[in-house]
PDB file of all heavy atoms in Angstrom:
ATOM      1  N   TYR A   5      -3.240   8.859  -2.125  1.00 76.00           N
ATOM      2  CA  TYR A   5      -4.536   8.910  -2.827  1.00 76.00           C
ATOM      3  C   TYR A   5      -4.369   8.497  -4.230  1.00 76.00           C
ATOM      4  O   TYR A   5      -3.532   8.852  -4.955  1.00 76.00           O
ATOM      5  CB  TYR A   5      -5.033  10.358  -2.755  1.00 76.00           C
ATOM      6  CG  TYR A   5      -5.223  10.856  -1.318  1.00 76.00           C
ATOM      7  CD1 TYR A   5      -4.411  11.906  -0.884  1.00 76.00           C
ATOM      8  CD2 TYR A   5      -6.275  10.383  -0.530  1.00 76.00           C
ATOM      9  CE1 TYR A   5      -4.588  12.388   0.398  1.00 76.00           C
ATOM     10  CE2 TYR A   5      -6.428  10.873   0.690  1.00 76.00           C
ATOM     11  CZ  TYR A   5      -5.627  11.906   1.115  1.00 76.00           C
ATOM     12  OH  TYR A   5      -5.744  12.409   2.445  1.00 76.00           O
ATOM     13  N   TYR A   7      -6.511   7.715  -7.962  1.00 77.00           N
ATOM     14  CA  TYR A   7      -7.663   8.163  -8.779  1.00 77.00           C
ATOM     15  C   TYR A   7      -7.920   7.055  -9.808  1.00 77.00           C
ATOM     16  O   TYR A   7      -7.106   6.845 -10.685  1.00 77.00           O
ATOM     17  CB  TYR A   7      -7.430   9.476  -9.404  1.00 77.00           C
ATOM     18  CG  TYR A   7      -7.059  10.505  -8.508  1.00 77.00           C
ATOM     19  CD1 TYR A   7      -5.711  10.893  -8.259  1.00 77.00           C
ATOM     20  CD2 TYR A   7      -8.029  11.188  -7.818  1.00 77.00           C
ATOM     21  CE1 TYR A   7      -5.419  11.852  -7.294  1.00 77.00           C
ATOM     22  CE2 TYR A   7      -7.757  12.209  -6.904  1.00 77.00           C
ATOM     23  CZ  TYR A   7      -6.399  12.511  -6.651  1.00 77.00           C
ATOM     24  OH  TYR A   7      -6.056  13.521  -5.778  1.00 77.00           O
ATOM     25  N   GLU A  12     -14.406   6.937 -11.200  1.00 81.00           N
ATOM     26  CA  GLU A  12     -14.756   8.256 -11.439  1.00 81.00           C
ATOM     27  C   GLU A  12     -15.851   8.492 -12.519  1.00 81.00           C
ATOM     28  O   GLU A  12     -16.684   9.311 -12.438  1.00 81.00           O
ATOM     29  CB  GLU A  12     -13.466   9.062 -11.850  1.00 81.00           C
ATOM     30  CG  GLU A  12     -12.514   9.323 -10.753  1.00 81.00           C
ATOM     31  CD  GLU A  12     -11.271  10.119 -11.225  1.00 81.00           C
ATOM     32  OE1 GLU A  12     -11.218  10.469 -12.416  1.00 81.00           O
ATOM     33  OE2 GLU A  12     -10.469  10.388 -10.355  1.00 81.00           O
ATOM     34  N   ARG A  65       6.143  23.307 -26.712  1.00 72.00           N
ATOM     35  CA  ARG A  65       6.063  24.693 -26.871  1.00 72.00           C
ATOM     36  C   ARG A  65       4.528  25.145 -26.933  1.00 72.00           C
ATOM     37  O   ARG A  65       3.856  24.690 -27.734  1.00 72.00           O
ATOM     38  CB  ARG A  65       6.733  25.211 -28.146  1.00 72.00           C
ATOM     39  CG  ARG A  65       8.248  25.234 -28.012  1.00 72.00           C
ATOM     40  CD  ARG A  65       8.860  25.603 -29.286  1.00 72.00           C
ATOM     41  NE  ARG A  65       8.377  26.986 -29.637  1.00 72.00           N
ATOM     42  CZ  ARG A  65       8.823  27.667 -30.683  1.00 72.00           C
ATOM     43  NH1 ARG A  65       9.659  27.066 -31.508  1.00 72.00           N
ATOM     44  NH2 ARG A  65       8.334  28.873 -30.984  1.00 72.00           N
ATOM     45  N   ARG A  66       4.231  25.958 -25.955  1.00 71.00           N
ATOM     46  CA  ARG A  66       2.803  26.331 -25.894  1.00 71.00           C
ATOM     47  C   ARG A  66       2.580  27.799 -25.981  1.00 71.00           C
ATOM     48  O   ARG A  66       3.426  28.533 -25.601  1.00 71.00           O
ATOM     49  CB  ARG A  66       2.244  26.007 -24.498  1.00 71.00           C
ATOM     50  CG  ARG A  66       2.407  24.564 -24.180  1.00 71.00           C
ATOM     51  CD  ARG A  66       1.242  23.644 -24.289  1.00 71.00           C
ATOM     52  NE  ARG A  66       1.903  22.451 -24.771  1.00 71.00           N
ATOM     53  CZ  ARG A  66       2.228  21.463 -23.980  1.00 71.00           C
ATOM     54  NH1 ARG A  66       1.956  21.566 -22.838  1.00 71.00           N
ATOM     55  NH2 ARG A  66       2.886  20.461 -24.251  1.00 71.00           N
ATOM     56  N   THR A  74      -1.945  38.747 -31.623  1.00 83.00           N
ATOM     57  CA  THR A  74      -2.503  38.892 -32.909  1.00 83.00           C
ATOM     58  C   THR A  74      -3.220  37.714 -33.488  1.00 83.00           C
ATOM     59  O   THR A  74      -3.757  37.775 -34.559  1.00 83.00           O
ATOM     60  CB  THR A  74      -1.332  39.242 -33.883  1.00 83.00           C
ATOM     61  OG1 THR A  74      -0.439  38.143 -33.935  1.00 83.00           O
ATOM     62  CG2 THR A  74      -0.589  40.475 -33.543  1.00 83.00           C
ATOM     63  N   LEU A  83      -8.726  41.791 -54.135  1.00 92.00           N
ATOM     64  CA  LEU A  83      -8.494  41.067 -55.417  1.00 92.00           C
ATOM     65  C   LEU A  83      -8.870  41.928 -56.650  1.00 92.00           C
ATOM     66  O   LEU A  83      -8.962  41.522 -57.678  1.00 92.00           O
ATOM     67  CB  LEU A  83      -9.278  39.791 -55.449  1.00 92.00           C
ATOM     68  CG  LEU A  83      -9.015  38.891 -54.306  1.00 92.00           C
ATOM     69  CD1 LEU A  83     -10.016  37.639 -54.347  1.00 92.00           C
ATOM     70  CD2 LEU A  83      -7.609  38.269 -54.456  1.00 92.00           C
ATOM     71  N   TYR A 160     -16.579  41.768 -62.250  1.00 87.00           N
ATOM     72  CA  TYR A 160     -15.545  42.680 -61.710  1.00 87.00           C
ATOM     73  C   TYR A 160     -16.115  44.072 -61.653  1.00 87.00           C
ATOM     74  O   TYR A 160     -16.081  44.849 -62.632  1.00 87.00           O
ATOM     75  CB  TYR A 160     -14.363  42.598 -62.609  1.00 87.00           C
ATOM     76  CG  TYR A 160     -13.228  43.694 -62.283  1.00 87.00           C
ATOM     77  CD1 TYR A 160     -12.708  43.769 -61.115  1.00 87.00           C
ATOM     78  CD2 TYR A 160     -12.811  44.565 -63.303  1.00 87.00           C
ATOM     79  CE1 TYR A 160     -11.732  44.769 -60.771  1.00 87.00           C
ATOM     80  CE2 TYR A 160     -11.872  45.450 -63.055  1.00 87.00           C
ATOM     81  CZ  TYR A 160     -11.320  45.560 -61.788  1.00 87.00           C
ATOM     82  OH  TYR A 160     -10.380  46.516 -61.563  1.00 87.00           O
ATOM     83  N   GLN A 162     -17.427  47.265 -58.487  1.00 88.00           N
ATOM     84  CA  GLN A 162     -17.648  47.509 -57.067  1.00 88.00           C
ATOM     85  C   GLN A 162     -19.109  47.089 -56.733  1.00 88.00           C
ATOM     86  O   GLN A 162     -20.044  47.229 -57.525  1.00 88.00           O
ATOM     87  CB  GLN A 162     -17.526  49.023 -56.825  1.00 88.00           C
ATOM     88  CG  GLN A 162     -16.153  49.459 -57.201  1.00 88.00           C
ATOM     89  CD  GLN A 162     -15.922  50.904 -56.646  1.00 88.00           C
ATOM     90  OE1 GLN A 162     -16.631  51.376 -55.871  1.00 88.00           O
ATOM     91  NE2 GLN A 162     -14.825  51.535 -57.148  1.00 88.00           N
ATOM     92  N   GLU A 167     -25.531  43.529 -49.838  1.00 93.00           N
ATOM     93  CA  GLU A 167     -26.003  42.520 -50.831  1.00 93.00           C
ATOM     94  C   GLU A 167     -25.070  41.290 -50.801  1.00 93.00           C
ATOM     95  O   GLU A 167     -25.530  40.128 -50.821  1.00 93.00           O
ATOM     96  CB  GLU A 167     -25.868  43.114 -52.117  1.00 93.00           C
ATOM     97  CG  GLU A 167     -26.789  42.537 -53.195  1.00 93.00           C
ATOM     98  CD  GLU A 167     -26.687  43.196 -54.550  1.00 93.00           C
ATOM     99  OE1 GLU A 167     -26.087  44.260 -54.624  1.00 93.00           O
ATOM    100  OE2 GLU A 167     -27.289  42.675 -55.505  1.00 93.00           O
ATOM    101  N   ILE A 170     -25.939  39.060 -47.666  1.00 94.00           N
ATOM    102  CA  ILE A 170     -27.194  38.266 -47.821  1.00 94.00           C
ATOM    103  C   ILE A 170     -26.937  37.103 -48.756  1.00 94.00           C
ATOM    104  O   ILE A 170     -27.370  35.990 -48.485  1.00 94.00           O
ATOM    105  CB  ILE A 170     -28.352  39.162 -48.275  1.00 94.00           C
ATOM    106  CG1 ILE A 170     -28.612  40.323 -47.342  1.00 94.00           C
ATOM    107  CG2 ILE A 170     -29.577  38.316 -48.545  1.00 94.00           C
ATOM    108  CD1 ILE A 170     -29.068  39.771 -45.970  1.00 94.00           C
ATOM    109  N   PRO A 225     -39.079  35.053 -41.976  1.00 91.00           N
ATOM    110  CA  PRO A 225     -37.700  34.988 -41.579  1.00 91.00           C
ATOM    111  C   PRO A 225     -36.907  36.145 -42.106  1.00 91.00           C
ATOM    112  O   PRO A 225     -37.111  36.569 -43.184  1.00 91.00           O
ATOM    113  CB  PRO A 225     -37.255  33.655 -42.095  1.00 91.00           C
ATOM    114  CG  PRO A 225     -38.131  33.411 -43.333  1.00 91.00           C
ATOM    115  CD  PRO A 225     -39.439  34.150 -43.016  1.00 91.00           C
ATOM    116  N   LYS A 311     -29.900  52.300 -44.643  1.00 91.00           N
ATOM    117  CA  LYS A 311     -30.125  52.463 -46.085  1.00 91.00           C
ATOM    118  C   LYS A 311     -29.534  53.750 -46.564  1.00 91.00           C
ATOM    119  O   LYS A 311     -30.202  54.741 -46.644  1.00 91.00           O
ATOM    120  CB  LYS A 311     -31.598  52.398 -46.336  1.00 91.00           C
ATOM    121  CG  LYS A 311     -32.249  51.071 -46.222  1.00 91.00           C
ATOM    122  CD  LYS A 311     -33.674  51.295 -46.529  1.00 91.00           C
ATOM    123  CE  LYS A 311     -34.486  49.957 -46.347  1.00 91.00           C
ATOM    124  NZ  LYS A 311     -35.910  50.162 -46.508  1.00 91.00           N
ATOM    125  N   HIS A 372     -18.472  52.623 -45.039  1.00 94.00           N
ATOM    126  CA  HIS A 372     -18.244  52.902 -46.542  1.00 94.00           C
ATOM    127  C   HIS A 372     -17.772  54.351 -46.715  1.00 94.00           C
ATOM    128  O   HIS A 372     -18.425  55.286 -46.080  1.00 94.00           O
ATOM    129  CB  HIS A 372     -19.536  52.673 -47.292  1.00 94.00           C
ATOM    130  CG  HIS A 372     -19.500  53.119 -48.696  1.00 94.00           C
ATOM    131  ND1 HIS A 372     -19.919  54.318 -49.191  1.00 94.00           N
ATOM    132  CD2 HIS A 372     -18.985  52.487 -49.831  1.00 94.00           C
ATOM    133  CE1 HIS A 372     -19.658  54.423 -50.493  1.00 94.00           C
ATOM    134  NE2 HIS A 372     -19.129  53.237 -50.849  1.00 94.00           N
ATOM    135  N   LEU A 376     -21.778  57.140 -54.095  1.00 83.00           N
ATOM    136  CA  LEU A 376     -22.587  56.012 -54.525  1.00 83.00           C
ATOM    137  C   LEU A 376     -21.812  55.183 -55.654  1.00 83.00           C
ATOM    138  O   LEU A 376     -21.920  54.061 -55.760  1.00 83.00           O
ATOM    139  CB  LEU A 376     -23.906  56.532 -54.983  1.00 83.00           C
ATOM    140  CG  LEU A 376     -25.013  55.465 -55.102  1.00 83.00           C
ATOM    141  CD1 LEU A 376     -26.250  55.967 -54.473  1.00 83.00           C
ATOM    142  CD2 LEU A 376     -25.303  55.234 -56.568  1.00 83.00           C
ATOM    143  N   GLU A 377     -21.186  56.007 -56.493  1.00 81.00           N
ATOM    144  CA  GLU A 377     -20.589  55.273 -57.661  1.00 81.00           C
ATOM    145  C   GLU A 377     -19.336  54.550 -57.327  1.00 81.00           C
ATOM    146  O   GLU A 377     -19.044  53.459 -57.826  1.00 81.00           O
ATOM    147  CB  GLU A 377     -20.286  56.300 -58.814  1.00 81.00           C
ATOM    148  CG  GLU A 377     -21.459  56.684 -59.693  1.00 81.00           C
ATOM    149  CD  GLU A 377     -22.258  57.761 -58.939  1.00 81.00           C
ATOM    150  OE1 GLU A 377     -21.607  58.465 -58.139  1.00 81.00           O
ATOM    151  OE2 GLU A 377     -23.440  57.844 -59.204  1.00 81.00           O
ATOM    152  N   ILE A 400      -4.176  45.851 -40.936  1.00 91.00           N
ATOM    153  CA  ILE A 400      -4.998  45.846 -39.725  1.00 91.00           C
ATOM    154  C   ILE A 400      -4.258  46.703 -38.693  1.00 91.00           C
ATOM    155  O   ILE A 400      -3.037  46.497 -38.393  1.00 91.00           O
ATOM    156  CB  ILE A 400      -5.136  44.468 -39.214  1.00 91.00           C
ATOM    157  CG1 ILE A 400      -5.791  43.584 -40.296  1.00 91.00           C
ATOM    158  CG2 ILE A 400      -6.031  44.405 -37.971  1.00 91.00           C
ATOM    159  CD1 ILE A 400      -6.351  42.302 -39.790  1.00 91.00           C
TER     160      ILE A 400
ATOM    161  N   PRO B   2     -10.117   9.467  -0.249  1.00 40.00           N
ATOM    162  CA  PRO B   2     -10.236   7.992  -0.202  1.00 40.00           C
ATOM    163  C   PRO B   2      -9.933   7.575   1.233  1.00 40.00           C
ATOM    164  O   PRO B   2      -9.356   8.308   2.065  1.00 40.00           O
ATOM    165  CB  PRO B   2      -9.139   7.639  -1.157  1.00 40.00           C
ATOM    166  CG  PRO B   2      -8.199   8.727  -1.128  1.00 40.00           C
ATOM    167  CD  PRO B   2      -8.951   9.996  -0.758  1.00 40.00           C
ATOM    168  N   HIS B  93      -2.963  17.639  -6.588  1.00 86.00           N
ATOM    169  CA  HIS B  93      -2.511  16.148  -6.515  1.00 86.00           C
ATOM    170  C   HIS B  93      -3.045  15.379  -7.656  1.00 86.00           C
ATOM    171  O   HIS B  93      -2.332  14.645  -8.335  1.00 86.00           O
ATOM    172  CB  HIS B  93      -2.932  15.600  -5.238  1.00 86.00           C
ATOM    173  CG  HIS B  93      -2.489  14.267  -4.959  1.00 86.00           C
ATOM    174  ND1 HIS B  93      -3.288  13.141  -5.245  1.00 86.00           N
ATOM    175  CD2 HIS B  93      -1.305  13.793  -4.376  1.00 86.00           C
ATOM    176  CE1 HIS B  93      -2.685  12.076  -4.932  1.00 86.00           C
ATOM    177  NE2 HIS B  93      -1.423  12.344  -4.447  1.00 86.00           N
ATOM    178  N   ARG B  94      -4.271  15.651  -7.932  1.00 82.00           N
ATOM    179  CA  ARG B  94      -4.936  14.891  -8.980  1.00 82.00           C
ATOM    180  C   ARG B  94      -4.285  15.207 -10.273  1.00 82.00           C
ATOM    181  O   ARG B  94      -4.090  14.371 -11.168  1.00 82.00           O
ATOM    182  CB  ARG B  94      -6.398  15.187  -8.967  1.00 82.00           C
ATOM    183  CG  ARG B  94      -7.144  14.474 -10.065  1.00 82.00           C
ATOM    184  CD  ARG B  94      -8.641  14.249  -9.668  1.00 82.00           C
ATOM    185  NE  ARG B  94      -9.102  13.183 -10.505  1.00 82.00           N
ATOM    186  CZ  ARG B  94      -9.602  13.336 -11.694  1.00 82.00           C
ATOM    187  NH1 ARG B  94      -9.718  14.496 -12.202  1.00 82.00           N
ATOM    188  NH2 ARG B  94     -10.055  12.337 -12.363  1.00 82.00           N
ATOM    189  N   ASP B 105       1.823  25.400 -19.032  1.00 71.00           N
ATOM    190  CA  ASP B 105       3.059  26.210 -19.244  1.00 71.00           C
ATOM    191  C   ASP B 105       3.163  26.802 -20.594  1.00 71.00           C
ATOM    192  O   ASP B 105       2.901  26.018 -21.584  1.00 71.00           O
ATOM    193  CB  ASP B 105       4.280  25.363 -18.944  1.00 71.00           C
ATOM    194  CG  ASP B 105       4.491  25.233 -17.464  1.00 71.00           C
ATOM    195  OD1 ASP B 105       3.796  25.929 -16.691  1.00 71.00           O
ATOM    196  OD2 ASP B 105       5.408  24.468 -17.011  1.00 71.00           O
ATOM    197  N   ASP B 107       5.431  29.083 -23.526  1.00 71.00           N
ATOM    198  CA  ASP B 107       6.775  29.309 -24.013  1.00 71.00           C
ATOM    199  C   ASP B 107       6.930  30.783 -24.291  1.00 71.00           C
ATOM    200  O   ASP B 107       6.377  31.276 -25.301  1.00 71.00           O
ATOM    201  CB  ASP B 107       6.966  28.439 -25.251  1.00 71.00           C
ATOM    202  CG  ASP B 107       8.281  28.701 -25.856  1.00 71.00           C
ATOM    203  OD1 ASP B 107       9.207  29.099 -25.159  1.00 71.00           O
ATOM    204  OD2 ASP B 107       8.429  28.399 -27.085  1.00 71.00           O
ATOM    205  N   SER B 110       8.074  32.133 -27.930  1.00 69.00           N
ATOM    206  CA  SER B 110       7.170  32.154 -29.130  1.00 69.00           C
ATOM    207  C   SER B 110       5.979  33.075 -28.821  1.00 69.00           C
ATOM    208  O   SER B 110       5.372  33.568 -29.769  1.00 69.00           O
ATOM    209  CB  SER B 110       6.710  30.695 -29.387  1.00 69.00           C
ATOM    210  OG  SER B 110       5.928  30.205 -28.377  1.00 69.00           O
ATOM    211  N   PHE B 114       3.841  37.134 -31.188  1.00 78.00           N
ATOM    212  CA  PHE B 114       2.467  37.482 -31.586  1.00 78.00           C
ATOM    213  C   PHE B 114       1.962  38.686 -30.867  1.00 78.00           C
ATOM    214  O   PHE B 114       0.755  39.012 -30.860  1.00 78.00           O
ATOM    215  CB  PHE B 114       1.565  36.294 -31.202  1.00 78.00           C
ATOM    216  CG  PHE B 114       1.911  35.075 -32.061  1.00 78.00           C
ATOM    217  CD1 PHE B 114       2.605  34.082 -31.642  1.00 78.00           C
ATOM    218  CD2 PHE B 114       1.398  35.006 -33.344  1.00 78.00           C
ATOM    219  CE1 PHE B 114       2.946  32.932 -32.366  1.00 78.00           C
ATOM    220  CE2 PHE B 114       1.678  33.937 -34.105  1.00 78.00           C
ATOM    221  CZ  PHE B 114       2.501  32.847 -33.600  1.00 78.00           C
ATOM    222  N   ILE B 124      -0.672  45.766 -37.125  1.00 84.00           N
ATOM    223  CA  ILE B 124      -0.494  45.057 -35.842  1.00 84.00           C
ATOM    224  C   ILE B 124       0.596  44.076 -35.811  1.00 84.00           C
ATOM    225  O   ILE B 124       1.029  43.641 -34.749  1.00 84.00           O
ATOM    226  CB  ILE B 124      -1.806  44.492 -35.400  1.00 84.00           C
ATOM    227  CG1 ILE B 124      -2.303  43.498 -36.443  1.00 84.00           C
ATOM    228  CG2 ILE B 124      -2.858  45.568 -35.110  1.00 84.00           C
ATOM    229  CD1 ILE B 124      -3.493  42.674 -35.898  1.00 84.00           C
ATOM    230  N   ALA B 152      -9.676  39.473 -59.669  1.00 90.00           N
ATOM    231  CA  ALA B 152     -11.040  39.599 -59.973  1.00 90.00           C
ATOM    232  C   ALA B 152     -11.360  39.894 -61.425  1.00 90.00           C
ATOM    233  O   ALA B 152     -12.165  39.201 -62.098  1.00 90.00           O
ATOM    234  CB  ALA B 152     -11.724  40.634 -59.067  1.00 90.00           C
ATOM    235  N   GLU B 156     -13.222  37.258 -64.057  1.00 88.00           N
ATOM    236  CA  GLU B 156     -14.404  37.583 -64.801  1.00 88.00           C
ATOM    237  C   GLU B 156     -14.260  37.175 -66.243  1.00 88.00           C
ATOM    238  O   GLU B 156     -15.117  36.576 -66.843  1.00 88.00           O
ATOM    239  CB  GLU B 156     -14.599  39.167 -64.687  1.00 88.00           C
ATOM    240  CG  GLU B 156     -15.879  39.580 -65.318  1.00 88.00           C
ATOM    241  CD  GLU B 156     -15.970  41.107 -65.406  1.00 88.00           C
ATOM    242  OE1 GLU B 156     -14.995  41.714 -65.742  1.00 88.00           O
ATOM    243  OE2 GLU B 156     -17.043  41.587 -64.996  1.00 88.00           O
ATOM    244  N   SER B 343     -33.287  35.774 -47.623  1.00 49.00           N
ATOM    245  CA  SER B 343     -32.782  36.893 -48.476  1.00 49.00           C
ATOM    246  C   SER B 343     -33.838  37.436 -49.368  1.00 49.00           C
ATOM    247  O   SER B 343     -33.756  38.438 -49.924  1.00 49.00           O
ATOM    248  CB  SER B 343     -31.631  36.364 -49.297  1.00 49.00           C
ATOM    249  OG  SER B 343     -32.076  35.467 -50.291  1.00 49.00           O
ATOM    250  N   SER B 345     -37.074  37.624 -48.501  1.00 43.00           N
ATOM    251  CA  SER B 345     -38.232  38.224 -47.788  1.00 43.00           C
ATOM    252  C   SER B 345     -37.738  39.312 -46.754  1.00 43.00           C
ATOM    253  O   SER B 345     -36.638  39.522 -46.695  1.00 43.00           O
ATOM    254  CB  SER B 345     -38.962  37.135 -46.977  1.00 43.00           C
ATOM    255  OG  SER B 345     -38.123  36.705 -45.928  1.00 43.00           O
ATOM    256  N   THR B 350     -37.528  45.703 -49.237  1.00 41.00           N
ATOM    257  CA  THR B 350     -38.676  46.681 -49.429  1.00 41.00           C
ATOM    258  C   THR B 350     -38.490  47.366 -50.694  1.00 41.00           C
ATOM    259  O   THR B 350     -37.399  47.625 -51.284  1.00 41.00           O
ATOM    260  CB  THR B 350     -38.545  47.753 -48.318  1.00 41.00           C
ATOM    261  OG1 THR B 350     -37.274  48.334 -48.251  1.00 41.00           O
ATOM    262  CG2 THR B 350     -38.898  47.142 -46.939  1.00 41.00           C
ATOM    263  N   TRP B 356     -28.401  50.124 -53.154  1.00 41.00           N
ATOM    264  CA  TRP B 356     -27.182  49.498 -53.719  1.00 41.00           C
ATOM    265  C   TRP B 356     -26.044  50.424 -53.703  1.00 41.00           C
ATOM    266  O   TRP B 356     -26.252  51.641 -53.841  1.00 41.00           O
ATOM    267  CB  TRP B 356     -27.500  49.100 -55.180  1.00 41.00           C
ATOM    268  CG  TRP B 356     -27.855  47.719 -55.294  1.00 41.00           C
ATOM    269  CD1 TRP B 356     -27.068  46.631 -55.172  1.00 41.00           C
ATOM    270  CD2 TRP B 356     -29.220  47.293 -55.455  1.00 41.00           C
ATOM    271  NE1 TRP B 356     -27.835  45.514 -55.301  1.00 41.00           N
ATOM    272  CE2 TRP B 356     -29.141  45.846 -55.493  1.00 41.00           C
ATOM    273  CE3 TRP B 356     -30.420  47.860 -55.621  1.00 41.00           C
ATOM    274  CZ2 TRP B 356     -30.246  45.058 -55.701  1.00 41.00           C
ATOM    275  CZ3 TRP B 356     -31.558  47.065 -55.805  1.00 41.00           C
ATOM    276  CH2 TRP B 356     -31.331  45.677 -55.817  1.00 41.00           C
ATOM    277  N   GLY B 357     -24.887  49.924 -53.450  1.00 41.00           N
ATOM    278  CA  GLY B 357     -23.824  50.852 -53.320  1.00 41.00           C
ATOM    279  C   GLY B 357     -23.270  51.392 -54.595  1.00 41.00           C
ATOM    280  O   GLY B 357     -23.577  52.462 -54.989  1.00 41.00           O
ATOM    281  N   LEU B 358     -22.435  50.524 -55.256  1.00 45.00           N
ATOM    282  CA  LEU B 358     -21.437  51.145 -56.024  1.00 45.00           C
ATOM    283  C   LEU B 358     -21.359  50.661 -57.408  1.00 45.00           C
ATOM    284  O   LEU B 358     -21.599  49.500 -57.650  1.00 45.00           O
ATOM    285  CB  LEU B 358     -20.114  50.936 -55.347  1.00 45.00           C
ATOM    286  CG  LEU B 358     -20.253  51.088 -53.866  1.00 45.00           C
ATOM    287  CD1 LEU B 358     -19.120  50.398 -53.224  1.00 45.00           C
ATOM    288  CD2 LEU B 358     -20.406  52.437 -53.421  1.00 45.00           C
ATOM    289  N   GLY B 359     -21.038  51.586 -58.223  1.00 39.00           N
ATOM    290  CA  GLY B 359     -20.607  51.066 -59.567  1.00 39.00           C
ATOM    291  C   GLY B 359     -21.619  50.416 -60.394  1.00 39.00           C
ATOM    292  O   GLY B 359     -21.284  49.675 -61.378  1.00 39.00           O
TER     293      GLY B 359
END
Side-chain angles (χ1 to χ4, degrees):
Chain A
Y5 298 109
Y7 303 96
E12 285 181 1
R65 285 181 58 177
R66 306 260 144 90
T74 60
L83 304 171
Y160 169 57
Q162 299 191 15
E167 205 181 349
I170 299 298
K311 291 181 181 171
H372 175 262
L376 194 134
E377 281 81 26
I400 304 195
Chain B
H93 183 267
R94 183 153 198 275
D105 281 353
D107 176 22
S110 66
F114 296 99
I124 54 166
E156 188 186 44
S343 67
S345 69
T350 51
W356 263 285
L358 321 162

